[in-house]
Amino acid sequence: MSFQIPRGTQDILPGEVEKWQYVEKTAREICDTYLYKEIRTPIFEHTELFARGVGESTDIVQKEMYTFLDRKGRSITLRPEGTASTVRSFVEKKLYANPAQPTKLYYIGPMFRYERPQSGRFRQFVQFGVEALGSNDPAIDAEVISLAMSLYQKLGLQSLKLVINSLGDAESRKAHREALIAHFEPRIGEFCSDCQSRLRQNPLRILDCKKDRDHELMATAPSILHYLNEESKAYFEKVQQYLEANNIPFEVDQNLVRGLDYYNHTAFEIMSNAEGFGAITTLCGGGRYNGLAQEIGGPETPGIGFALSIERLLAALEAENITLPIETTIDCYVVTMGDAAKDRAVSLVYELRNAGLKVEKDYEDKKMKAQFKAADRHHAKYVAVLGDDELEKNVVALKNMETGSQEDVAIDQLISYLHQNI
Ligand code: HAM
């Protein structure tokens, strides 16, 4: 019997995993400079959290969740995204009581959605996301967007497009909702069944429909931007002003609605424009969710964040032919000749590694020539040769693989020699 990996998941093997580690390290470093702290929440939560948080009418909740009953019959769901869990924890652990506000958090971890797998779309994928809770300052919207852009830019991506929109506050959204219903209702029979149920549940999402994208009523649909009240308009203008101040180019797209229910005010997506990038071009999505904490039983708290998947980020790097500066060398390979040297090498590599050096030796009884080949494969900076002669003198014959020069170095001096010369 043989087993295969489940559809829509992947094994990330050595050779590939270094890229993930590099991206994750860069994301952590950026969060460090912006003072976002890591939060780790469980991989599974009570299903009700996502039903309420992400929204009953969303595709995620209606058809994409991995939901099961546990042994006590409780409905459990593998997290499809990180915002609901982060806000749950913020409320449950009373992070709002901390005098240092806003609470700025980030996470990196797997998310699960039962979607049709295709390039850039997985059933298990890793999101890096940030959430800033407790501030209603448009400067934090610009900060969150800038943070996402800095990660992409730091990794070398150039073909990026930032699209922003405002979904307004509750009052603006209500007025827009009514206008949308009035616009679509007379001809809703011409739309797909999903849109027909969206008409009353969440008419905004009709604008997001892939099937009815070309229907003539789409182009003439009332724009949210015409329904923003003065406060929402002023807020959106401030966000744009701050993005301009940070020299971050953007486009306003009044049809950008986002697929999750919790958004209001600022919504944004970052796409890749790179030629050859797959059909799915959205790299990152986020926005403001001022009612979410309250919706899940917490105090009224404004919030904004984004999430991006590492899978799509790596695909964008590949589309732009960017190679990450990943270290592939080792410091020293210990080559041995004879049984006594072989035995001594066991403790020698242990000592070198304890001193923080990246060191390897042979474990297959290879001939000396093959050991040198292995050292080359590892891109060793130095090779330390240990034979009976060297053992007697308590030295290694140390070869600098870049210059080819060789000298005897006392074994008890080897650590400091390597530290000084690497
Ligand atoms: P989302 O738009 O559903 O938003 O997902 C955000 C990002 O996750 C997408 O732009 C994409 O990079 C990645 N993503 C989503 N689904 C998949 C998939 N099946 N395979 C690979 N990558 C995927 C959210 O999840 C919100 N929680 C974002 C947010 C945080 N809003 C406020 N705070």
Side-chain angles (χ1 to χ4, degrees):
M1 186 166 181
S2 69
F3 292 100
Q4 279 174 351
I5 194 169
R7 241 163 86 73
T9 66
Q10 46 179 353
D11 294 318
I12 301 156
L13 303 176
E16 190 63 22
V17 80
E18 292 79 3
K19 295 182 196 162
W20 288 73
Q21 292 167 338
Y22 186 87
V23 167
E24 288 166 11
K25 184 168 148 271
T26 310
R28 288 177 196 284
E29 282 166 4
I30 292 177
C31 284
D32 224 28
T33 62
Y34 279 74
L35 291 184
Y36 284 70
K37 306 276 183 206
E38 184 175 6
I39 180 167
R40 299 188 187 191
T41 61
I43 299 287
F44 59 84
E45 298 266 3
H46 295 293
T47 304
E48 188 55 23
L49 173 69
F50 301 116
R52 283 195 80 94
V54 176
E56 291 281 8
S57 73
T58 58
D59 284 352
I60 293 183
V61 172
Q62 289 202 339
K63 48 190 185 203
E64 294 173 1
M65 295 205 303
Y66 281 90
T67 298
F68 56 94
L69 295 180
D70 73 5
R71 286 172 186 273
K72 287 264 171 69
R74 287 172 291 234
S75 182
I76 295 291
T77 292
L78 301 185
R79 60 183 188 187
E81 58 102 54
T83 311
S85 310
T86 305
V87 176
R88 193 253 325 122
S89 180
F90 173 84
V91 169
E92 190 179 345
K93 301 289 148 54
K94 299 193 172 52
L95 302 187
Y96 49 81
N98 190 321
Q101 295 296 335
T103 301
K104 305 207 288 188
L105 302 166
Y106 81 89
Y107 46 85
I108 301 178
M111 307 291 161
F112 305 84
R113 296 187 194 175
Y114 193 82
E115 294 193 86
R116 196 168 55 79
Q118 62 186 93
S119 136
R121 183 181 286 152
F122 297 87
R123 289 186 171 164
Q124 174 173 333
F125 54 98
V126 174
Q127 275 190 345
F128 160 58
V130 315
E131 314 290 351
L133 289 139
S135 167
N136 231 333
D137 184 340
I140 204 100
D141 300 44
E143 173 176 302
V144 160
I145 297 173
S146 309
L147 195 160
M149 292 298 281
S150 351
L151 173 64
Y152 290 131
Q153 283 162 353
K154 207 160 184 181
L155 295 171
L157 287 174
Q158 308 217 318
S159 305
L160 297 171
K161 185 166 97 174
L162 167 65
V163 178
I164 63 171
N165 190 22
S166 172
L167 306 175
D169 60 7
E171 185 188 81
S172 315
R173 286 186 67 150
K174 190 161 172 272
H176 182 230
R177 181 191 150 88
E178 278 157 18
L180 284 172
I181 295 179
H183 178 77
F184 286 114
E185 194 161 33
R187 292 175 62 188
I188 195 67
E190 298 165 26
F191 285 73
C192 72
S193 57
D194 280 347
C195 282
Q196 295 185 10
S197 45
R198 283 173 188 145
L199 182 72
R200 293 277 155 200
Q201 277 182 344
N202 188 354
L204 196 63
R205 300 248 12 253
I206 296 178
L207 301 178
D208 210 18
C209 181
K210 302 278 176 292
K211 284 190 212 135
D212 294 319
R213 175 164 55 194
D214 298 325
H215 193 287
E216 59 174 321
L217 284 190
M218 289 294 208
T220 54
S223 156
I224 177 69
L225 296 179
H226 297 137
Y227 289 83
L228 294 183
N229 56 20
E230 286 311 311
E231 219 182 311
S232 302
K233 222 185 276 177
Y235 193 93
F236 191 38
E237 275 161 17
K238 222 44 190 161
V239 174
Q240 296 180 55
Q241 180 196 321
Y242 289 145
L243 286 174
E244 278 159 14
N246 284 0
N247 282 324
I248 296 182
F250 60 86
E251 282 174 27
V252 175
D253 178 355
Q254 57 191 31
N255 285 330
L256 176 71
V257 300
R258 309 272 304 123
L260 299 88
D261 273 357
Y262 46 60
Y263 292 114
N264 39 54
H265 289 287
T266 316
F268 67 96
E269 287 188 356
I270 302 170
M271 340 265 189
S272 167
N273 277 335
E275 237 175 87
F277 193 65
I280 299 176
T281 55
T282 305
L283 299 180
C284 170
R288 195 161 260 290
Y289 46 83
N290 289 349
L292 181 56
Q294 218 175 358
E295 180 70 34
I296 59 175
E300 205 180 319
T301 313
I304 178 159
F306 72 76
L308 60 88
S309 69
I310 313 280
E311 287 81 356
R312 288 193 196 167
L313 190 165
L314 292 174
L317 288 171
E318 198 166 314
E320 290 197 31
N321 286 320
I322 295 168
T323 321
L324 298 173
I326 289 164
E327 184 72 70
T328 54
T329 57
I330 68 167
D331 298 323
C332 185
Y333 192 97
V334 178
V335 167
T336 59
M337 269 180 308
D339 287 342
K342 204 175 118 190
D343 290 348
R344 176 64 182 94
V346 172
S347 57
L348 180 59
V349 297
Y350 176 75
E351 287 154 23
L352 296 175
R353 288 166 176 166
N354 269 352
L357 293 159
K358 267 168 91 167
V359 176
E360 189 53 299
K361 70 180 280 297
D362 163 60
Y363 302 97
E364 291 175 303
D365 255 335
K366 286 199 190 100
K367 298 261 183 307
M368 202 167 149
K369 200 169 154 202
Q371 292 185 48
F372 265 98
K373 257 204 187 131
D376 272 341
R377 255 198 306 276
H378 282 292
H379 307 291
K381 293 177 192 155
Y382 285 90
V383 169
V385 182
L386 193 60
D388 291 339
D389 283 356
E390 285 78 14
L391 267 185
E392 203 165 298
K393 290 190 275 175
N394 238 336
V395 299
V396 293
L398 192 66
K399 183 169 180 190
N400 180 325
M401 299 300 277
E402 201 189 326
T403 62
S405 67
Q406 187 169 320
E407 61 182 308
D408 281 358
V409 175
I411 288 183
D412 60 6
Q413 294 298 311
L414 186 56
I415 289 172
S416 60
Y417 183 97
L418 289 172
H419 274 311
Q420 268 165 34
N421 289 285
I422 279 165

